[in-house]
């Protein structure tokens, strides 16, 4: 809405440097709120601004939460579709989840990453879940390697756990981001194996989005994400409540919600948390921002899974963008926060479009079908 | 067609009070028949009436069955799509059914609830059925926990039965309504486990719709629903015949059909029965009403499953609506009857729309795809 798609397309190859060269944008983007275009150019019948005038605000300190200029974030971090690129360069995501009971959630997360624009999307799940998830879509690569307690004898546990870790880790380095939790279930043996996988991902510097039953695991074992600046937690209202109770040893304070969120992030140390709700409020303990674009009044289960898959991809895009940027001032921008902002906006846009078409009958699959159009509306792929 | 969607939308937040405040509507709604709109307003090019003039009739006593004003019922009980709502608040339904032989029926029932507008829809079935039902749709949460005789040794029966009950009951409190029977089969061990589940649902005050093989179970064990005012039976012509023979010890009396239906409900005690046919005739032993809107001449299998899932959701919506209503006069309205009326109308409308498009080729999946449009036509979801 504020930024200039024309200038953006015209300078695709120099986007990184352009962005870094913009004095205003060099400030902490995620804290900022676009006030007005500083200049407007009309091109091809479309009015757009060539840069953004923005104000840096220490939102957490002021007690206020500023709306992120989420459309600009999506435009900035989405990589150009360069014809010279190879398979995998637009993103390789893996979802760790899917057990005997749950198969929809990991599918939604993995297919969403693909539909937003990832090149490859994997799922690591139990054998029971794998057959079903494979049947949902031939697009996913599904690894049936996790095990639940019922399928492992007591005396085999150690060796099976070790085999599972070896199997996953041989893939790990290839991934730009992993999502832990969609449809993971709560089996103790499986959660123990997934804890090992999370520790390995951390050693390998693989960004990790934690949602669903992954949050159950992490809430009971905070050390799994402690001081990990590449971890994102995406709790809903109930999961957030449990996290606050466990880490801060108090109840959710609605009056001072943003301060409490900031404190929670600081206490865990360096993680990014996106507290989902009417507005998705995002903090990494240093700053706080939100996305409150209205999406849909439908609350069908599965929307959180779309979000985790999208956030994983956008975070890895943001990370690659910032890492390839040679302006040192940009290094202070937290790509995890940019990923949350972009994922939140895209889900809301897609849910809104799906609701327009399907109304009360909208289900998660309908929303996923609109992820592409939502991204295209914000950030056209034309070369 | 008769009521006023404009006024309805305009007063979303006060609907409960509006309804209660209407002297006409305060009478037993489900017995009533709309004669003519009392006033007509034109809004946005659509003519509609702001209230209904209705007559209360003691139908059962008079021997006549009056047509329900089913569209009004749908409009009244369908909850507004409030932006502040959380996942689950629009309804959580579970279907108990699905065995080695049958997988379509529980899928149809569960997905129908979701497509009408439930937030979450679960299926509890056997392991064999689960893989297949999961693969039909990632939207459903499918629990592979029931067992048939062939998979359980005689000496294990008691412990397996106990485990199954524990597994289901830990979920039970979360559901607004359960549907027992679609694709359940007739395995004695499985039916015995389902009897335990029904007893537990009753103790927990969870409304229960009984269809298909659930009716076979109940017909042979009437105590499972006796005096349960939260139970709905939805027999077709054959299932109804067996029920009459078993409970009233006589044959179906077509000459005095509504009286016999009323007597049957009274004899079982407090249950609601929807006798499916050319007209769906509904009674709770106190009143009788019917829905005879023409749907489709196609009689493909599976339509009863759509109905059971829809009735489950509408009944829970009606129950929530009446429970949150502070007018004591409304407490006498039976939400189970309202749910039957709404479910019957919606299936008929959707079947009609599907037949217009697919003619002889219409199958159940086509009808399910029109549930959303049918509800939207009656009760637009626009905010």
């Amino acid at each position: 809405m504020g930024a200039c798609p024309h200038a953006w397309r015209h300078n695709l190859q120099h986007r990184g440097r352009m962005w870094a060269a913009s004095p205003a944008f060099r400030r902490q983007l995620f804290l900022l709120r676009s006030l007005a275009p500083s200049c407007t150019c009309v091109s091809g019948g479309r009015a757009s601004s060539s840069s953004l005038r923005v104000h840096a605000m220490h939102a957490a300190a002021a007690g206020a939460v500023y709306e992120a200029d989420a459309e600009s974030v999506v435009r900035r971090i989405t990589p150009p579709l360069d014809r010279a690129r190879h398979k995998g360069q637009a993103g390789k995501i893996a979802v760790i989840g899917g057990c005997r009971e749950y198969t929809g959630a990991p599918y939604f997360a993995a297919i969403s990453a693909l539909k937003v624009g990832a090149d490859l999307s994997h799922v690591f799940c139990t054998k029971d879940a794998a057959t079903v998830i494979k049947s949902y879509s031939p697009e996913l690569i599904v690894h049936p390697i996790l095990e639940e307690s019922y399928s492992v004898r007591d005396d085999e546990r150690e060796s099976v756990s070790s085999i599972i870790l070896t199997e996953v880790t041989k893939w790990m380095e290839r991934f730009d981001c992993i999502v832990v939790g969609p449809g993971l279930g709560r089996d103790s043996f499986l959660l123990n194996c997934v804890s090992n996988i999370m520790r390995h991902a951390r050693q390998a510097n693989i960004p990790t989005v934690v949602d669903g039953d992954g949050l159950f695991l992490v809430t009971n074992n905070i050390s799994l994400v402690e001081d990990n600046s590449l971890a994102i937690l995406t709790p809903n209202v109930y999961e957030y409540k449990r996290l606050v109770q466990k880490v801060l040893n108090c109840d959710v304070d609605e009056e001072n919600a943003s301060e409490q969120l900031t404190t929670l992030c600081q206490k865990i140390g360096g993680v990014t948390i996106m507290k989902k709700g009417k507005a998705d409020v995002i903090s990494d303990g240093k700053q706080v921002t939100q996305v409150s674009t209205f999406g849909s009044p439908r609350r069908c289960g599965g929307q959180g899974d779309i979000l985790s898959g999208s956030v994983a991809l956008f975070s890895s895009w943001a990370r690659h963008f910032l890492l390839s940027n040679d302006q040192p001032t940009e290094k202070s921008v937290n790509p995890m926060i940019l990923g949350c902002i972009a994922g939140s906006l895209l889900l809301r846009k897609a849910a809104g479009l799906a609701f327009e078409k399907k109304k009360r009958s909208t289900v998660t699959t309908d929303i996923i079908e609109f992820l592409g159009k939502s991204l295209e509306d914000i950030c056209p792929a034309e070369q």
Side-chain angles (χ1 to χ4, degrees), chain A:
Chain A
M1 297 196 317
C4 177
H6 176 68
W8 175 80
R9 284 203 307 279
H10 188 68
N11 294 290
L12 271 180
Q13 291 166 327
H14 303 102
R15 250 184 354 168
R17 281 189 291 281
M18 274 181 62
W19 186 40
S22 156
F25 209 83
R26 227 179 285 149
R27 293 170 212 153
Q28 290 171 315
L29 174 70
F30 38 85
L31 264 185
L32 307 180
R33 185 185 185 190
S34 160
L35 296 179
S38 61
C39 81
T40 301
C41 64
V42 177
S43 166
R46 285 196 297 186
S48 52
S49 69
S50 60
S51 67
L52 294 171
R53 201 150 43 87
V54 285
H55 280 202
M57 306 292 290
H58 288 281
V65 180
Y66 286 92
E67 186 76 10
D69 183 2
E71 293 208 357
S72 286
V73 170
V74 171
R75 279 189 204 101
R76 301 283 180 181
I77 66 177
T78 301
L81 284 168
D82 189 332
R83 293 179 187 203
R85 285 187 159 219
H86 298 298
K87 182 171 78 176
Q89 288 186 308
K92 300 181 292 298
I93 302 300
V95 176
I96 317 289
C99 60
R100 186 162 58 165
E101 205 155 17
Y102 305 112
T103 52
Y107 164 73
F108 289 143
I111 200 78
S112 295
L114 213 56
K115 297 265 181 172
V116 175
D119 281 347
L120 292 165
S121 196
H122 293 241
V123 176
F124 292 83
C125 59
T126 67
K127 290 184 186 70
D128 300 303
T131 315
V132 176
I133 298 172
K134 284 169 186 280
S135 78
Y136 291 147
S137 169
E139 316 288 348
L140 305 177
I141 299 163
V142 184
H143 307 262
I145 60 175
L146 300 182
E147 298 278 359
E148 290 180 81
S149 301
Y150 76 87
S151 63
V152 185
R153 286 205 324 263
D154 283 354
D155 60 337
E156 290 175 335
R157 290 195 166 205
E158 205 168 321
S159 64
V160 171
S161 177
S162 169
I163 291 167
I164 289 171
L165 185 62
T166 307
E167 279 293 311
V168 179
T169 53
K170 77 181 184 194
W171 286 92
M172 191 64 83
E173 305 281 337
R174 311 185 194 190
F175 299 127
D176 297 295
C177 188
I178 64 169
V179 183
V180 175
L184 196 59
R186 297 190 176 185
D187 179 76
S188 59
F189 176 74
L190 191 147
L191 290 185
N192 191 49
C193 292
V194 172
S195 300
N196 294 338
I197 294 169
M198 287 185 75
R199 287 187 199 100
H200 177 84
R202 183 180 187 159
Q203 283 166 5
N205 280 324
I206 309 297
T208 303
V209 177
V210 186
D211 190 43
D213 292 320
L215 289 168
F216 170 80
L217 171 64
V218 160
T219 301
N220 292 319
N221 191 355
I222 291 293
S223 69
L224 286 172
V225 290
E226 223 162 25
D227 300 321
N228 182 359
S229 62
L230 294 179
I232 296 173
L233 314 184
T234 55
N236 63 23
V237 63
Y238 308 110
E239 292 156 346
Y240 185 73
K241 187 179 174 184
R242 286 194 288 271
L243 201 57
V244 166
Q245 286 171 339
K246 190 79 179 186
V247 177
L248 300 182
N249 205 22
C250 65
D251 279 329
V252 171
D253 179 0
E254 295 294 354
E255 297 276 300
N256 303 291
S258 66
E259 288 85 346
Q260 190 174 44
L261 175 60
T262 309
T263 307
L264 180 64
C265 294
Q266 288 166 351
K267 192 77 186 281
I268 299 176
V271 300
T272 296
I273 298 178
M274 173 154 63
K275 181 191 172 198
K276 298 182 287 193
K278 195 175 169 192
D280 292 334
V281 189
I282 304 155
S283 178
D284 62 356
K286 295 179 191 142
Q287 46 272 320
V288 59
T289 187
Q290 69 170 29
V291 178
S292 67
T293 304
F294 180 66
S296 156
R298 256 303 255 158
R299 293 283 171 270
C300 52
Q303 295 185 53
D305 306 311
I306 299 179
L307 189 65
S308 64
S310 309
V311 165
L313 183 62
F314 278 122
S315 301
S316 67
W317 282 354
R319 195 158 171 251
H320 283 284
F321 180 74
L322 296 173
L323 286 174
S324 63
N325 192 307
D326 54 5
Q327 299 295 317
T329 45
E330 297 307 326
K331 304 295 182 196
S332 65
V333 177
N334 186 342
M336 303 293 108
I337 287 192
L338 299 184
C340 289
I341 293 170
S344 171
L345 178 70
L346 204 73
L347 169 61
R348 285 160 182 263
K349 292 270 186 191
L353 291 171
F355 185 76
E356 264 179 37
K357 185 178 175 190
K358 296 285 192 126
K359 303 292 181 186
R360 285 178 195 276
S361 198
T362 310
V363 293
T364 300
T365 303
D366 300 318
I367 300 173
I368 290 170
E369 280 313 300
F370 277 104
L371 287 171
K373 177 170 168 41
S374 302
L375 184 55
E376 191 61 16
D377 286 350
I378 300 169
C379 177
E382 304 155 33
Q383 296 284 306

